[in-house]
Amino acid sequence: MSDLEKKSLEAHVDLCAVRYEQLDNRLNKVEQKLEKIESDVSDIKSMLNRGQTAQYRVLLGTAGGVITVLLGIVGYLFVRLV
């Protein structure tokens, strides 16, 4: 607190208004940055979910192919032995 503020309530009120405005501006900037981070995290989450879905499809397709081949081999062996 400056000497001017100590002597004049009006000066104190004016300086507090300036300080409040500066603080409000800083908080608004922080809020905007947090909203951007939240948006980016949401985008990353969506990308990861899409990537996992694609990986599951590949895994299921590969597993289905392997099972089909194994069933074919078992069927072939069964027919040959019977």
Side-chain angles (χ1 to χ4, degrees):
M1 185 180 282
S2 69
D3 288 336
L4 177 61
E5 284 182 271
K6 291 178 184 176
K7 294 177 184 177
S8 170
L9 179 60
E10 291 173 1
H12 173 75
V13 170
D14 289 342
L15 286 171
C16 283
V18 170
R19 290 176 183 142
Y20 178 81
E21 185 178 346
Q22 290 173 346
L23 181 60
D24 190 48
N25 289 338
R26 288 181 189 168
L27 287 174
N28 285 335
K29 287 179 184 177
V30 169
E31 187 177 55
Q32 290 171 352
K33 289 179 182 181
L34 285 174
E35 288 172 355
K36 173 77 169 107
I37 290 170
E38 182 182 12
S39 174
D40 290 347
V41 167
S42 179
D43 292 344
I44 291 169
K45 185 178 176 182
S46 295
M47 287 173 24
L48 288 174
N49 284 337
R50 284 192 301 267
Q52 282 182 332
T53 301
Q55 287 177 345
Y56 287 138
R57 287 181 183 161
V58 169
L59 181 62
L60 287 174
T62 303
V66 169
I67 290 170
T68 302
V69 169
L70 289 174
L71 286 174
I73 292 171
V74 168
Y76 173 78
L77 292 174
F78 182 76
V79 169
R80 295 281 284 172
L81 293 176
V82 173

Coordinates of all heavy atoms in Angstrom, one line a residue:
M1 N 0.8 -1.2 0.0 CA 0.0 0.0 0.0 C 0.9 1.2 0.0 O 1.8 1.3 0.8 CB -0.9 0.0 1.2 CG -1.9 1.1 1.2 SD -3.0 1.1 2.7 CE -4.2 -0.2 2.2
S2 N 0.6 2.1 -0.9 CA 1.5 3.3 -1.0 C 1.0 4.4 0.0 O 0.0 4.3 0.6 CB 1.4 3.9 -2.5 OG 0.1 4.4 -2.7
D3 N 1.9 5.4 0.1 CA 1.5 6.5 1.0 C 0.3 7.2 0.6 O -0.5 7.7 1.4 CB 2.7 7.5 1.1 CG 3.9 6.9 1.9 OD1 3.6 6.0 2.8 OD2 5.0 7.3 1.7
L4 N 0.2 7.4 -0.8 CA -1.0 8.1 -1.3 C -2.3 7.3 -0.9 O -3.3 7.9 -0.6 CB -0.9 8.2 -2.8 CG -2.1 8.8 -3.6 CD1 -2.3 10.2 -3.1 CD2 -1.8 8.7 -5.1
E5 N -2.2 6.0 -1.0 CA -3.4 5.2 -0.6 C -3.7 5.4 0.9 O -4.9 5.4 1.3 CB -3.2 3.7 -0.9 CG -3.3 3.3 -2.4 CD -3.1 1.8 -2.5 OE1 -1.9 1.4 -2.7 OE2 -4.1 1.1 -2.5
K6 N -2.7 5.4 1.7 CA -2.9 5.6 3.1 C -3.6 6.9 3.4 O -4.4 7.0 4.4 CB -1.6 5.5 3.9 CG -1.0 4.1 3.9 CD 0.3 4.1 4.6 CE 1.0 2.8 4.5 NZ 2.3 2.7 5.1
K7 N -3.3 8.0 2.6 CA -3.9 9.3 2.9 C -5.2 9.5 2.2 O -6.0 10.4 2.7 CB -2.9 10.4 2.4 CG -1.6 10.3 3.3 CD -0.6 11.3 2.7 CE 0.7 11.2 3.5 NZ 1.7 12.1 3.0
S8 N -5.5 8.8 1.1 CA -6.7 9.1 0.4 C -7.5 7.8 0.1 O -7.0 6.9 -0.6 CB -6.3 9.8 -1.0 OG -7.4 9.8 -1.8
L9 N -8.7 7.8 0.6 CA -9.5 6.6 0.4 C -9.9 6.5 -1.1 O -9.9 5.4 -1.7 CB -10.8 6.7 1.2 CG -11.8 5.6 1.1 CD1 -11.2 4.3 1.4 CD2 -13.1 5.9 1.9
E10 N -10.1 7.7 -1.7 CA -10.4 7.7 -3.2 C -9.3 7.1 -4.0 O -9.5 6.3 -4.9 CB -10.8 9.1 -3.6 CG -12.0 9.6 -3.1 CD -12.2 11.1 -3.4 OE1 -11.4 11.7 -4.1 OE2 -13.3 11.6 -3.0
A11 N -8.1 7.4 -3.7 CA -6.9 6.9 -4.4 C -6.8 5.4 -4.2 O -6.6 4.6 -5.1 CB -5.6 7.5 -4.0
H12 N -7.1 4.9 -2.9 CA -7.1 3.5 -2.6 C -8.1 2.8 -3.4 O -7.9 1.7 -4.0 CB -7.3 3.3 -1.1 CG -7.5 1.9 -0.7 ND1 -6.4 1.0 -0.6 CD2 -8.6 1.2 -0.3 CE1 -6.9 -0.2 -0.2 NE2 -8.2 -0.1 -0.1
V13 N -9.3 3.3 -3.4 CA -10.4 2.7 -4.2 C -10.1 2.6 -5.7 O -10.3 1.5 -6.3 CB -11.7 3.4 -4.0 CG1 -12.8 2.9 -4.9 CG2 -12.2 3.3 -2.5
D14 N -9.5 3.6 -6.2 CA -9.2 3.6 -7.6 C -8.1 2.6 -7.9 O -8.1 1.9 -8.9 CB -8.7 5.0 -8.1 CG -9.8 6.0 -8.1 OD1 -11.0 5.6 -8.2 OD2 -9.5 7.3 -8.1
L15 N -7.1 2.6 -7.1 CA -6.0 1.6 -7.3 C -6.5 0.1 -7.1 O -6.1 -0.8 -7.8 CB -4.8 1.8 -6.3 CG -4.0 3.0 -6.7 CD1 -3.0 3.4 -5.6 CD2 -3.2 2.8 -8.0
C16 N -7.4 -0.1 -6.1 CA -8.0 -1.4 -6.0 C -8.8 -1.8 -7.2 O -8.8 -3.0 -7.6 CB -8.9 -1.4 -4.7 SG -8.0 -1.5 -3.2
A17 N -9.5 -0.8 -7.8 CA -10.2 -1.1 -9.0 C -9.3 -1.6 -10.2 O -9.6 -2.5 -10.9 CB -11.1 0.1 -9.4
V18 N -8.2 -0.9 -10.3 CA -7.2 -1.2 -11.3 C -6.6 -2.6 -11.0 O -6.5 -3.5 -11.9 CB -6.0 -0.2 -11.4 CG1 -4.9 -0.7 -12.2 CG2 -6.6 1.1 -11.9
R19 N -6.3 -2.9 -9.8 CA -5.7 -4.2 -9.4 C -6.7 -5.3 -9.6 O -6.4 -6.4 -10.1 CB -5.3 -4.2 -7.9 CG -4.1 -3.3 -7.6 CD -3.8 -3.2 -6.1 NE -2.7 -2.4 -5.9 CZ -2.7 -1.6 -4.8 NH1 -3.7 -1.5 -3.9 NH2 -1.6 -0.8 -4.6
Y20 N -8.0 -5.0 -9.3 CA -9.0 -6.0 -9.5 C -9.2 -6.3 -11.0 O -9.3 -7.5 -11.4 CB -10.4 -5.5 -9.0 CG -11.5 -6.5 -9.2 CD1 -11.7 -7.6 -8.4 CD2 -12.4 -6.3 -10.3 CE1 -12.7 -8.5 -8.6 CE2 -13.4 -7.2 -10.5 CZ -13.5 -8.3 -9.7 OH -14.5 -9.2 -9.9
E21 N -9.1 -5.3 -11.8 CA -9.3 -5.4 -13.3 C -8.1 -6.3 -13.8 O -8.3 -7.2 -14.6 CB -9.3 -4.1 -14.0 CG -9.5 -4.2 -15.5 CD -9.6 -2.9 -16.2 OE1 -9.8 -1.8 -15.5 OE2 -9.6 -2.9 -17.4
Q22 N -6.9 -6.0 -13.3 CA -5.7 -6.8 -13.7 C -5.8 -8.2 -13.3 O -5.6 -9.2 -14.1 CB -4.4 -6.2 -13.2 CG -4.1 -4.8 -13.8 CD -2.9 -4.2 -13.1 OE1 -2.5 -4.6 -12.0 NE2 -2.3 -3.2 -13.7
L23 N -6.3 -8.4 -12.1 CA -6.5 -9.8 -11.6 C -7.6 -10.5 -12.4 O -7.4 -11.7 -12.7 CB -6.9 -9.7 -10.1 CG -7.1 -11.1 -9.4 CD1 -5.8 -11.9 -9.4 CD2 -7.5 -10.8 -7.9
D24 N -8.6 -9.8 -12.7 CA -9.7 -10.4 -13.5 C -9.2 -10.8 -14.9 O -9.5 -11.9 -15.4 CB -10.9 -9.4 -13.6 CG -12.1 -10.1 -14.2 OD1 -12.5 -11.2 -13.7 OD2 -12.7 -9.5 -15.1
N25 N -8.4 -10.0 -15.5 CA -7.8 -10.3 -16.8 C -7.0 -11.5 -16.7 O -7.0 -12.4 -17.6 CB -7.0 -9.1 -17.3 CG -7.9 -8.0 -17.8 OD1 -9.1 -8.1 -18.0 ND2 -7.4 -6.8 -17.8
R26 N -6.1 -11.6 -15.7 CA -5.3 -12.8 -15.5 C -6.1 -14.0 -15.3 O -5.8 -15.1 -15.9 CB -4.3 -12.6 -14.3 CG -3.3 -11.6 -14.5 CD -2.4 -11.5 -13.3 NE -1.5 -10.4 -13.4 CZ -0.8 -9.9 -12.4 NH1 -0.9 -10.5 -11.2 NH2 0.1 -8.9 -12.5
L27 N -7.1 -14.0 -14.5 CA -8.0 -15.1 -14.3 C -8.7 -15.6 -15.6 O -8.8 -16.8 -15.8 CB -9.0 -14.9 -13.2 CG -8.4 -14.8 -11.8 CD1 -9.5 -14.4 -10.8 CD2 -7.8 -16.1 -11.4
N28 N -9.1 -14.6 -16.3 CA -9.7 -14.9 -17.6 C -8.8 -15.6 -18.6 O -9.1 -16.6 -19.3 CB -10.3 -13.7 -18.3 CG -11.6 -13.2 -17.6 OD1 -12.3 -13.9 -17.0 ND2 -11.8 -11.9 -17.7
K29 N -7.5 -15.2 -18.6 CA -6.5 -15.8 -19.4 C -6.3 -17.3 -18.9 O -6.1 -18.2 -19.7 CB -5.2 -15.0 -19.4 CG -5.2 -13.7 -20.2 CD -3.9 -13.0 -20.1 CE -4.0 -11.6 -20.8 NZ -2.8 -10.9 -20.6
V30 N -6.2 -17.4 -17.6 CA -6.0 -18.8 -17.1 C -7.2 -19.7 -17.5 O -7.0 -20.8 -17.9 CB -5.8 -18.8 -15.5 CG1 -5.9 -20.1 -14.9 CG2 -4.5 -18.1 -15.2
E31 N -8.4 -19.1 -17.3 CA -9.6 -19.9 -17.7 C -9.6 -20.3 -19.2 O -9.9 -21.4 -19.5 CB -10.8 -19.1 -17.4 CG -12.1 -19.8 -17.5 CD -13.3 -19.0 -17.1 OE1 -13.5 -17.8 -17.7 OE2 -14.1 -19.4 -16.3
Q32 N -9.2 -19.4 -20.0 CA -9.1 -19.7 -21.5 C -8.1 -20.8 -21.7 O -8.3 -21.7 -22.5 CB -8.7 -18.4 -22.3 CG -9.8 -17.4 -22.3 CD -9.4 -16.1 -22.9 OE1 -8.2 -15.9 -23.2 NE2 -10.3 -15.2 -23.1
K33 N -7.0 -20.7 -21.1 CA -5.9 -21.7 -21.2 C -6.4 -23.1 -20.7 O -6.2 -24.1 -21.4 CB -4.6 -21.3 -20.5 CG -3.9 -20.2 -21.2 CD -2.7 -19.8 -20.5 CE -2.0 -18.6 -21.2 NZ -0.8 -18.2 -20.6
L34 N -7.1 -23.1 -19.6 CA -7.7 -24.4 -19.1 C -8.7 -24.9 -20.0 O -8.8 -26.2 -20.2 CB -8.3 -24.1 -17.7 CG -7.3 -24.0 -16.6 CD1 -8.0 -23.6 -15.3 CD2 -6.4 -25.2 -16.4
E35 N -9.5 -24.1 -20.6 CA -10.5 -24.6 -21.6 C -9.9 -25.2 -22.8 O -10.3 -26.2 -23.3 CB -11.5 -23.4 -22.0 CG -12.4 -23.0 -20.9 CD -13.2 -21.8 -21.2 OE1 -13.0 -21.1 -22.3 OE2 -14.1 -21.4 -20.4
K36 N -8.8 -24.5 -23.2 CA -8.0 -25.1 -24.4 C -7.4 -26.4 -24.0 O -7.4 -27.4 -24.8 CB -6.9 -24.1 -24.8 CG -5.9 -24.6 -25.8 CD -6.6 -24.5 -27.2 CE -5.5 -24.7 -28.3 NZ -5.6 -26.0 -28.9
I37 N -6.8 -26.5 -22.8 CA -6.2 -27.8 -22.4 C -7.3 -28.9 -22.3 O -7.1 -30.0 -22.8 CB -5.5 -27.6 -21.0 CG1 -4.3 -26.8 -21.2 CG2 -5.2 -29.0 -20.4 CD1 -3.6 -26.4 -19.9
E38 N -8.5 -28.5 -21.8 CA -9.6 -29.5 -21.7 C -10.0 -29.9 -23.1 O -10.3 -31.1 -23.3 CB -10.8 -28.8 -21.0 CG -12.0 -29.7 -20.8 CD -13.1 -29.0 -20.1 OE1 -13.1 -27.8 -19.9 OE2 -14.1 -29.7 -19.7
S39 N -10.1 -29.0 -24.0 CA -10.5 -29.4 -25.4 C -9.4 -30.3 -26.0 O -9.7 -31.3 -26.7 CB -10.6 -28.1 -26.2 OG -10.8 -28.4 -27.6
D40 N -8.1 -30.0 -25.8 CA -7.1 -30.8 -26.3 C -7.1 -32.2 -25.7 O -6.9 -33.2 -26.4 CB -5.7 -30.2 -26.1 CG -5.5 -28.9 -26.9 OD1 -6.3 -28.7 -27.9 OD2 -4.5 -28.2 -26.6
V41 N -7.3 -32.3 -24.4 CA -7.4 -33.6 -23.8 C -8.6 -34.4 -24.3 O -8.4 -35.6 -24.6 CB -7.5 -33.5 -22.2 CG1 -7.8 -34.8 -21.6 CG2 -6.1 -32.9 -21.7
S42 N -9.7 -33.7 -24.5 CA -10.8 -34.4 -25.1 C -10.5 -34.9 -26.5 O -10.9 -36.1 -26.8 CB -12.0 -33.5 -25.1 OG -13.1 -34.1 -25.7
D43 N -9.8 -34.1 -27.3 CA -9.5 -34.6 -28.6 C -8.5 -35.8 -28.6 O -8.7 -36.7 -29.4 CB -8.8 -33.4 -29.4 CG -9.8 -32.3 -29.8 OD1 -11.0 -32.5 -29.7 OD2 -9.3 -31.2 -30.1
I44 N -7.6 -35.7 -27.7 CA -6.6 -36.8 -27.6 C -7.4 -38.1 -27.1 O -7.1 -39.2 -27.6 CB -5.5 -36.5 -26.6 CG1 -4.6 -35.4 -27.1 CG2 -4.7 -37.7 -26.2 CD1 -3.6 -34.8 -26.1
K45 N -8.3 -37.9 -26.2 CA -9.1 -39.1 -25.7 C -9.9 -39.7 -26.9 O -9.9 -40.9 -27.0 CB -10.0 -38.7 -24.6 CG -10.8 -39.8 -24.0 CD -11.7 -39.3 -22.9 CE -12.5 -40.4 -22.3 NZ -13.4 -39.9 -21.2
S46 N -10.5 -38.9 -27.7 CA -11.2 -39.4 -28.9 C -10.3 -40.1 -29.8 O -10.7 -41.1 -30.4 CB -11.9 -38.2 -29.6 OG -12.9 -37.6 -28.7
M47 N -9.1 -39.5 -30.1 CA -8.2 -40.2 -31.0 C -7.7 -41.5 -30.5 O -7.6 -42.5 -31.2 CB -7.0 -39.3 -31.2 CG -7.3 -38.1 -32.1 SD -6.0 -36.8 -32.3 CE -4.5 -37.6 -32.0
L48 N -7.5 -41.6 -29.2 CA -7.1 -42.9 -28.6 C -8.2 -43.9 -28.7 O -7.9 -45.1 -28.9 CB -6.7 -42.7 -27.1 CG -5.3 -42.0 -26.9 CD1 -5.1 -41.7 -25.4 CD2 -4.2 -42.8 -27.4
N49 N -9.4 -43.5 -28.4 CA -10.6 -44.4 -28.5 C -10.7 -44.9 -29.9 O -11.0 -46.1 -30.1 CB -11.8 -43.7 -28.0 CG -11.9 -43.6 -26.5 OD1 -11.3 -44.3 -25.8 ND2 -12.7 -42.7 -26.1
R50 N -10.6 -44.0 -30.9 CA -10.7 -44.5 -32.3 C -9.5 -45.4 -32.6 O -9.7 -46.4 -33.3 CB -10.6 -43.3 -33.3 CG -11.9 -42.5 -33.3 CD -11.9 -41.5 -34.5 NE -10.9 -40.6 -34.4 CZ -11.0 -39.4 -33.9 NH1 -12.1 -39.0 -33.3 NH2 -9.9 -38.5 -33.9
G51 N -8.3 -45.2 -32.1 CA -7.2 -46.0 -32.4 C -7.4 -47.4 -31.7 O -7.1 -48.4 -32.3
Q52 N -7.9 -47.4 -30.5 CA -8.2 -48.7 -29.9 C -9.2 -49.5 -30.6 O -9.1 -50.7 -30.8 CB -8.7 -48.5 -28.4 CG -7.6 -48.2 -27.5 CD -8.1 -48.0 -26.1 OE1 -9.3 -47.6 -25.9 NE2 -7.2 -48.2 -25.1
T53 N -10.3 -48.9 -31.1 CA -11.3 -49.5 -31.9 C -10.7 -50.2 -33.2 O -11.0 -51.3 -33.5 CB -12.4 -48.5 -32.3 OG1 -13.0 -48.0 -31.1 CG2 -13.5 -49.2 -33.1
A54 N -9.8 -49.4 -33.8 CA -9.2 -50.0 -35.0 C -8.3 -51.2 -34.7 O -8.2 -52.2 -35.4 CB -8.3 -48.9 -35.7
Q55 N -7.6 -51.1 -33.5 CA -6.7 -52.2 -33.1 C -7.5 -53.4 -32.8 O -7.2 -54.5 -33.1 CB -5.9 -51.8 -31.9 CG -4.8 -50.8 -32.2 CD -4.0 -50.3 -31.0 OE1 -4.5 -50.5 -29.9 NE2 -2.9 -49.7 -31.2
Y56 N -8.7 -53.2 -32.1 CA -9.6 -54.3 -31.8 C -10.1 -55.0 -33.0 O -10.2 -56.2 -33.1 CB -10.7 -53.9 -30.9 CG -10.4 -53.6 -29.5 CD1 -10.9 -52.5 -28.8 CD2 -9.5 -54.4 -28.8 CE1 -10.6 -52.2 -27.5 CE2 -9.2 -54.1 -27.5 CZ -9.7 -53.0 -26.8 OH -9.4 -52.7 -25.5
R57 N -10.4 -54.2 -34.0 CA -10.9 -54.8 -35.3 C -9.8 -55.6 -36.0 O -10.1 -56.7 -36.5 CB -11.3 -53.7 -36.3 CG -12.6 -53.0 -35.9 CD -13.0 -52.0 -36.8 NE -14.3 -51.3 -36.4 CZ -14.6 -50.1 -36.8 NH1 -13.9 -49.5 -37.7 NH2 -15.8 -49.6 -36.3
V58 N -8.6 -55.1 -36.0 CA -7.5 -55.9 -36.5 C -7.2 -57.2 -35.7 O -7.1 -58.2 -36.3 CB -6.2 -55.0 -36.6 CG1 -5.0 -55.9 -36.9 CG2 -6.3 -53.9 -37.6
L59 N -7.3 -57.0 -34.4 CA -7.0 -58.2 -33.6 C -8.1 -59.2 -33.8 O -7.8 -60.4 -33.9 CB -7.0 -57.8 -32.1 CG -6.8 -58.8 -31.1 CD1 -5.4 -59.5 -31.3 CD2 -6.9 -58.3 -29.7
L60 N -9.4 -58.8 -33.8 CA -10.5 -59.7 -34.0 C -10.4 -60.4 -35.4 O -10.7 -61.6 -35.6 CB -11.8 -59.0 -33.9 CG -12.2 -58.7 -32.4 CD1 -13.5 -57.9 -32.4 CD2 -12.4 -60.0 -31.6
G61 N -10.0 -59.6 -36.4 CA -9.9 -60.1 -37.8 C -8.8 -61.2 -37.8 O -9.0 -62.2 -38.4
T62 N -7.7 -60.9 -37.2 CA -6.6 -61.8 -37.2 C -6.9 -63.1 -36.4 O -6.6 -64.2 -36.9 CB -5.3 -61.1 -36.5 OG1 -5.0 -59.9 -37.3 CG2 -4.1 -62.1 -36.5
A63 N -7.6 -62.9 -35.3 CA -8.0 -64.1 -34.5 C -9.0 -64.9 -35.2 O -8.9 -66.1 -35.2 CB -8.6 -63.6 -33.1
G64 N -9.9 -64.2 -35.9 CA -10.9 -65.0 -36.7 C -10.2 -65.8 -37.8 O -10.6 -66.9 -38.1
G65 N -9.2 -65.2 -38.5 CA -8.5 -65.9 -39.5 C -7.7 -67.0 -39.0 O -7.7 -68.1 -39.6
V66 N -7.0 -66.9 -37.8 CA -6.3 -68.0 -37.2 C -7.2 -69.1 -36.9 O -6.9 -70.3 -37.1 CB -5.5 -67.5 -36.0 CG1 -4.9 -68.7 -35.2 CG2 -4.4 -66.5 -36.4
I67 N -8.4 -68.8 -36.3 CA -9.3 -69.8 -35.9 C -9.9 -70.6 -37.1 O -10.0 -71.8 -37.1 CB -10.5 -69.2 -35.0 CG1 -10.0 -68.8 -33.7 CG2 -11.7 -70.2 -34.9 CD1 -10.9 -67.9 -32.9
T68 N -10.1 -69.8 -38.2 CA -10.6 -70.4 -39.4 C -9.6 -71.4 -39.9 O -9.9 -72.5 -40.4 CB -10.9 -69.4 -40.4 OG1 -11.9 -68.5 -39.9 CG2 -11.4 -70.0 -41.7
V69 N -8.3 -71.0 -40.0 CA -7.3 -71.9 -40.4 C -7.1 -73.1 -39.6 O -7.0 -74.2 -40.1 CB -5.9 -71.1 -40.5 CG1 -4.8 -72.1 -40.8 CG2 -6.0 -70.1 -41.6
L70 N -7.2 -72.9 -38.2 CA -7.1 -74.1 -37.3 C -8.2 -75.0 -37.5 O -8.0 -76.3 -37.5 CB -7.0 -73.6 -35.9 CG -5.7 -72.9 -35.5 CD1 -5.7 -72.4 -34.1 CD2 -4.5 -73.9 -35.6
L71 N -9.4 -74.5 -37.7 CA -10.6 -75.4 -37.9 C -10.5 -76.1 -39.2 O -10.8 -77.3 -39.3 CB -11.9 -74.6 -37.9 CG -12.4 -74.1 -36.5 CD1 -13.6 -73.2 -36.6 CD2 -12.7 -75.3 -35.6
G72 N -9.9 -75.4 -40.2 CA -9.7 -76.1 -41.5 C -8.7 -77.2 -41.4 O -8.9 -78.3 -41.9
I73 N -7.6 -77.0 -40.6 CA -6.6 -78.1 -40.4 C -7.2 -79.2 -39.7 O -7.0 -80.4 -40.0 CB -5.4 -77.5 -39.7 CG1 -4.6 -76.5 -40.6 CG2 -4.5 -78.6 -39.2 CD1 -3.5 -75.7 -39.9
V74 N -8.0 -78.9 -38.6 CA -8.6 -80.0 -37.8 C -9.6 -80.8 -38.7 O -9.6 -82.0 -38.6 CB -9.3 -79.4 -36.6 CG1 -10.2 -80.4 -35.9 CG2 -8.3 -78.9 -35.6
G75 N -10.4 -80.1 -39.5 CA -11.3 -80.7 -40.4 C -10.6 -81.6 -41.4 O -11.0 -82.7 -41.7
Y76 N -9.5 -81.1 -41.9 CA -8.8 -81.9 -42.9 C -8.2 -83.1 -42.3 O -8.3 -84.2 -42.8 CB -7.6 -81.0 -43.5 CG -6.7 -81.8 -44.4 CD1 -7.0 -82.1 -45.7 CD2 -5.4 -82.2 -43.9 CE1 -6.2 -82.8 -46.5 CE2 -4.6 -82.9 -44.7 CZ -4.9 -83.2 -46.0 OH -4.1 -83.9 -46.8
L77 N -7.6 -83.0 -41.1 CA -7.1 -84.1 -40.4 C -8.1 -85.1 -40.0 O -8.0 -86.4 -40.1 CB -6.3 -83.7 -39.1 CG -5.0 -82.9 -39.4 CD1 -4.4 -82.4 -38.1 CD2 -4.0 -83.8 -40.2
F78 N -9.3 -84.6 -39.6 CA -10.4 -85.5 -39.2 C -10.9 -86.3 -40.4 O -11.1 -87.5 -40.3 CB -11.6 -84.7 -38.7 CG -12.7 -85.5 -38.2 CD1 -12.6 -86.2 -37.0 CD2 -13.9 -85.5 -38.9 CE1 -13.7 -87.0 -36.6 CE2 -15.0 -86.3 -38.5 CZ -14.9 -87.0 -37.3
V79 N -11.0 -85.7 -41.6 CA -11.4 -86.4 -42.8 C -10.4 -87.4 -43.2 O -10.7 -88.5 -43.6 CB -11.7 -85.3 -43.9 CG1 -11.9 -86.0 -45.3 CG2 -12.9 -84.5 -43.6
R80 N -9.1 -87.1 -43.1 CA -8.0 -88.0 -43.6 C -7.9 -89.2 -42.6 O -7.6 -90.3 -43.1 CB -6.7 -87.2 -43.5 CG -6.6 -86.1 -44.5 CD -6.3 -86.6 -45.9 NE -4.9 -87.0 -46.0 CZ -4.4 -87.6 -47.0 NH1 -5.1 -87.9 -48.1 NH2 -3.1 -87.9 -47.0
L81 N -8.2 -89.0 -41.3 CA -8.1 -90.1 -40.4 C -9.3 -91.0 -40.3 O -9.3 -92.1 -39.9 CB -7.8 -89.6 -39.0 CG -6.4 -88.9 -38.8 CD1 -6.3 -88.3 -37.4 CD2 -5.3 -89.8 -39.1
V82 N -10.5 -90.5 -40.7 CA -11.7 -91.3 -40.6 C -11.9 -92.1 -41.8 O -11.5 -92.4 -42.8 CB -12.9 -90.4 -40.5 CG1 -14.2 -91.2 -40.5 CG2 -12.8 -89.7 -39.2

